Amino acid sequence: MTVTERTTEDRYPTRLPHAADLVARADPTVWPGRIPGPFTVDDLAGFDRHGYLVVKNLLGTDEVTSLQTEAARLADDSSADDPRVIREKRSGAVRSVFQVHRTSTVISALVRNPAVLDRARQILGSEVYVHQSRINFMPGFTGEGFYWHSDFETWHAEDGLPAPRAVSMSLALSTNFPYNGGLMVIPGSHRTFVPCIGETPADHYQASLREQEIGVPARHDIEQLARPHGIDQFTGPAGSALWFDSNVLHGSGNNITPFPRSNVFVVFNSVENTPVEPFAAPARRPDYVAERDFTPLDDARR
Amino acid sequence: MTVTERTTEDRYPTRLPHAADLVARADPTVWPGRIPGPFTVDDLAGFDRHGYLVVKNLLGTDEVTSLQTEAARLADDSSADDPRVIREKRSGAVRSVFQVHRTSTVISALVRNPAVLDRARQILGSEVYVHQSRINFMPGFTGEGFYWHSDFETWHAEDGLPAPRAVSMSLALSTNFPYNGGLMVIPGSHRTFVPCIGETPADHYQASLREQEIGVPARHDIEQLARPHGIDQFTGPAGSALWFDSNVLHGSGNNITPFPRSNVFVVFNSVENTPVEPFAAPARRPDYVAERDFTPLDDARR
């Protein structure tokens, strides 16, 4: 067995045995001027400042309908022992289906759709590939939320992503109201890396994809970041998209309303930021949560 | 032992062994023209139609500050074995302090404040007394919500309130954002009584004040009432008040934000609607959750 020596410096230490100071982010959020795209200069400035940006009606009605149908099919067809299918802790209902950019031709086309791909390329200023994709389902009445976290913290610690040069798109497949468990974002929090306390256990992803306990920021750190700018909520009809930086703190409340919520979630990573070995975990996570094929996404035009 | 014979007809049967049809409410929501007050004709029409009404800045800054101080004092002074103090199931933090209209001079003055009392009298068209009062605390980060329910369903089943001729005031002591577990209301649902399935166990209130399992409407009933008009949220700064009908379906999500939420909750019942024996419970609940002194509230002017 060969042990891969990691020579990359760790500028974002986390999963520590004790409390540590907040880390000012050294890396940029936006790499503008390299690859043109649909975002305006103001859009990019807003993304840089707040760490997120909402695009109303990114897709048309027909495309949304086709994605809704595909999402329902993927949930229905999921087998009980498929590790890519995550179920609700209490009810057993399908909560997420992972790696859909590979298993679904519809999602494979979505991530190559210029309306999507060009935006990812434009923000990251490089070719991109999909680090992770999934469809999320939050049922009505019993939907469980997700506590505050930075995705980058996990991808750095457990997948070896060197820098927060990744951007996520959450595409709504149902209406996001302010009250049915939609994503909450702490604007501006992406400029700060919050080191988390606690060593990563082996096979942590099996528990953390349902409910995270390690890799969770301390309360006073969340409070410190939320005080200046409060909290923003992602609301909008199906077809709207939230683009957000990999390091922005986000979470969601539960959903007791009768209105379920589902979305397609795609993480684009820069090909100049491909993962090395995990920075704070005993082993890599499986490919279906952390892609190891870094081939840049092509689109229909090339 | 004397068994009190209940002769009042039960027009709102609940806690049934099997599913039952929804009951159209026979009683009015507003008794206008009997007692004048601060609400306009439009206010009352809106209350009649939606089952609730928000009064921004019902109280001034000084009054709010005094109530906040009193709420903190009541939580701090609460003893571990006081049955009037309800604690969070998981954390043990104080969730509610009951019967504050009797134990606190500040709250006793509040329920007699003309800005409050005149509104209750005006809606109910009669003299009123306090059926229940409490201060609710929802902490940040771990605040647990409350599932959909009609208060009248419980007060009818467990306290013997004959009709939904009661109105509640929830007075905000902290800012209610759309995302920190504030009250959600299903507008128009107060016109329908939803019979609930399941017999009331003895001493049910000891569990139900923390988390309700009996007296909860079926999902398809909630859905049927929420579809036409959706869901409204009570938001606003401290000092704002939500007035709501005793039979309107309401609930709240959890609160993972750093922003705690607290409020004073007062239920005014008409003196023409005083409770008889419980309609669907083995025994009365204690006085601290269901007042048995029906003396009309006086105010400073008399």
Side-chain angles (χ1 to χ4, degrees), chain B residues 30 38-48 50-56 58 119 123 167-170 185 234 240-245 248:
Chain B
V30 177
F39 286 127
T40 66
V41 171
D42 281 355
D43 286 342
L44 295 176
F47 188 90
D48 192 28
H50 304 303
Y52 78 93
L53 194 148
V54 174
V55 182
K56 280 250 155 107
L58 180 80
R119 287 184 158 89
I123 288 175
V167 62
S168 302
M169 178 189 72
S170 174
V185 170
F234 171 41
S240 303
L242 172 73
W243 288 85
F244 61 108
D245 179 79
V248 81

Side-chain angles (χ1 to χ4, degrees), chain B:
Chain B
M1 201 176 86
T2 318
V3 176
T4 311
E5 194 77 35
R6 188 166 44 67
T7 51
T8 316
E9 180 203 3
D10 186 0
R11 291 172 298 135
Y12 299 104
T14 188
R15 313 288 167 108
L16 306 173
H18 46 71
D21 289 343
L22 299 179
V23 176
R25 172 181 181 149
D27 295 279
T29 305
V30 177
W31 283 256
R34 296 198 184 182
I35 298 190
F39 286 127
T40 66
V41 171
D42 281 355
D43 286 342
L44 295 176
F47 188 90
D48 192 28
R49 189 162 58 249
H50 304 303
Y52 78 93
L53 194 148
V54 174
V55 182
K56 280 250 155 107
N57 303 313
L58 180 80
L59 298 185
T61 314
D62 288 353
E63 289 163 305
V64 171
T65 305
S66 135
L67 285 167
Q68 288 164 335
T69 308
E70 179 67 353
R73 188 190 70 78
L74 287 164
D76 289 349
D77 287 2
S78 67
S79 75
D81 57 353
D82 187 339
R84 295 171 298 195
V85 179
I86 311 298
R87 293 170 191 276
E88 291 263 331
K89 220 173 169 184
R90 295 188 198 184
S91 69
V94 172
R95 179 184 177 124
S96 304
V97 180
F98 275 77
Q99 209 181 27
V100 286
H101 66 290
R102 279 179 180 267
T103 60
S104 157
T105 52
V106 176
I107 305 296
S108 171
L110 172 70
V111 303
R112 289 169 172 82
N113 182 330
V116 172
L117 181 54
D118 286 355
R119 287 184 158 89
R121 280 199 190 115
Q122 188 184 11
I123 288 175
L124 301 179
S126 71
E127 294 297 317
V128 300
Y129 71 98
V130 174
H131 175 66
Q132 185 186 96
S133 73
R134 59 182 196 255
I135 297 180
N136 294 315
F137 304 89
M138 180 184 261
F141 299 110
T142 59
E144 292 165 24
F146 224 98
Y147 194 68
W148 301 106
H149 64 286
S150 148
D151 288 334
F152 172 66
E153 194 276 344
T154 293
W155 301 335
H156 181 68
E158 304 191 26
D159 300 337
L161 234 64
R165 192 173 174 182
V167 62
S168 302
M169 178 189 72
S170 174
L171 178 73
L173 297 185
S174 56
T175 307
N176 281 250
F177 298 104
Y179 46 71
N180 65 338
L183 219 69
M184 299 186 285
V185 170
I186 299 182
S189 61
H190 64 299
R191 303 300 318 160
T192 303
F193 181 78
V194 182
C196 298
I197 300 179
E199 208 180 317
T200 315
D203 293 336
H204 176 235
Y205 68 93
Q206 290 176 353
S208 72
L209 297 181
R210 294 207 239 186
E211 186 174 31
Q212 197 159 358
E213 284 173 7
I214 302 287
V216 164
R219 286 189 190 177
H220 62 89
D221 290 338
I222 299 170
E223 201 158 1
Q224 196 177 324
L225 292 167
R227 288 273 167 223
H229 302 296
I231 287 168
D232 290 343
Q233 287 183 287
F234 171 41
T235 58
S240 303
L242 172 73
W243 288 85
F244 61 108
D245 179 79
S246 61
N247 189 48
V248 81
L249 283 184
H250 61 286
S252 61
N254 63 358
N255 179 19
I256 67 165
T257 79
F259 309 121
R261 211 172 49 74
S262 57
N263 65 285
V264 184
F265 178 75
V266 182
V267 183
F268 297 95
N269 189 30
S270 168
V271 294
E272 299 169 17
N273 188 44
T274 53
V276 292
E277 289 307 300
F279 284 83
R284 293 177 175 191
R285 299 195 297 175
D287 287 5
Y288 67 84
V289 286
E291 183 63 74
R292 291 274 162 180
D293 177 346
F294 312 136
T295 312
L297 288 175
D298 50 7
D299 65 43
R301 296 162 303 187
R302 291 197 273 192

Side-chain angles (χ1 to χ4, degrees), chain A:
Chain A
M1 202 174 88
T2 319
V3 176
T4 313
E5 192 79 34
R6 186 164 48 65
T7 52
T8 317
E9 183 203 0
D10 186 359
R11 289 173 299 135
Y12 299 105
T14 188
R15 314 288 166 110
L16 306 172
H18 46 70
D21 288 344
L22 299 179
V23 176
R25 172 181 181 149
D27 295 277
T29 305
V30 177
W31 283 256
R34 295 197 185 183
I35 298 191
F39 286 128
T40 65
V41 171
D42 281 354
D43 287 341
L44 295 177
F47 188 89
D48 192 29
R49 190 162 56 248
H50 304 302
Y52 79 92
L53 193 146
V54 174
V55 182
K56 279 252 155 106
N57 303 312
L58 180 80
L59 299 185
T61 315
D62 289 353
E63 289 163 303
V64 171
T65 305
S66 134
L67 285 167
Q68 288 166 334
T69 308
E70 179 67 355
R73 188 190 69 77
L74 287 164
D76 289 348
D77 287 2
S78 67
S79 74
D81 58 353
D82 187 339
R84 294 171 299 194
V85 179
I86 311 299
R87 292 169 190 279
E88 291 263 332
K89 219 173 168 183
R90 295 188 199 183
S91 69
V94 172
R95 180 183 175 123
S96 304
V97 180
F98 275 79
Q99 208 180 26
V100 286
H101 66 290
R102 280 179 180 265
T103 60
S104 156
T105 53
V106 177
I107 306 297
S108 171
L110 172 70
V111 303
R112 289 168 172 83
N113 182 331
V116 173
L117 181 53
D118 286 355
R119 287 185 158 89
R121 280 199 190 115
Q122 188 184 12
I123 289 175
L124 300 179
S126 72
E127 295 297 320
V128 300
Y129 71 98
V130 174
H131 176 66
Q132 185 186 97
S133 73
R134 58 181 197 257
I135 297 180
N136 294 316
F137 304 88
M138 181 185 259
F141 298 111
T142 59
E144 292 165 24
F146 223 99
Y147 193 69
W148 301 105
H149 64 286
S150 148
D151 288 334
F152 172 66
E153 193 276 343
T154 293
W155 301 335
H156 181 68
E158 303 192 24
D159 300 337
L161 234 64
R165 192 173 173 180
V167 62
S168 301
M169 178 189 72
S170 175
L171 179 73
L173 297 185
S174 56
T175 308
N176 281 250
F177 298 104
Y179 46 73
N180 65 338
L183 218 68
M184 298 186 285
V185 171
I186 300 181
S189 60
H190 63 300
R191 303 300 318 158
T192 303
F193 181 77
V194 182
C196 297
I197 299 178
E199 209 179 317
T200 314
D203 294 334
H204 176 235
Y205 68 94
Q206 290 176 354
S208 73
L209 298 181
R210 297 207 238 188
E211 186 172 34
Q212 196 158 1
E213 285 174 4
I214 303 288
V216 164
R219 288 189 190 178
H220 62 89
D221 291 337
I222 299 170
E223 202 158 1
Q224 196 178 322
L225 292 167
R227 286 276 166 222
H229 302 295
I231 287 169
D232 289 344
Q233 287 184 287
F234 172 40
T235 58
S240 303
L242 172 73
W243 289 84
F244 61 107
D245 180 79
S246 60
N247 189 48
V248 81
L249 283 185
H250 61 287
S252 61
N254 63 358
N255 180 19
I256 68 165
T257 79
F259 309 121
R261 210 171 51 75
S262 57
N263 65 286
V264 184
F265 178 75
V266 182
V267 183
F268 298 95
N269 189 30
S270 168
V271 295
E272 299 170 16
N273 188 43
T274 53
V276 291
E277 289 307 300
F279 283 82
R284 292 177 176 191
R285 299 195 297 176
D287 286 6
Y288 67 84
V289 286
E291 184 61 76
R292 290 275 161 179
D293 177 347
F294 311 136
T295 313
L297 288 175
D298 50 8
D299 65 45
R301 295 161 305 184
R302 290 196 277 190

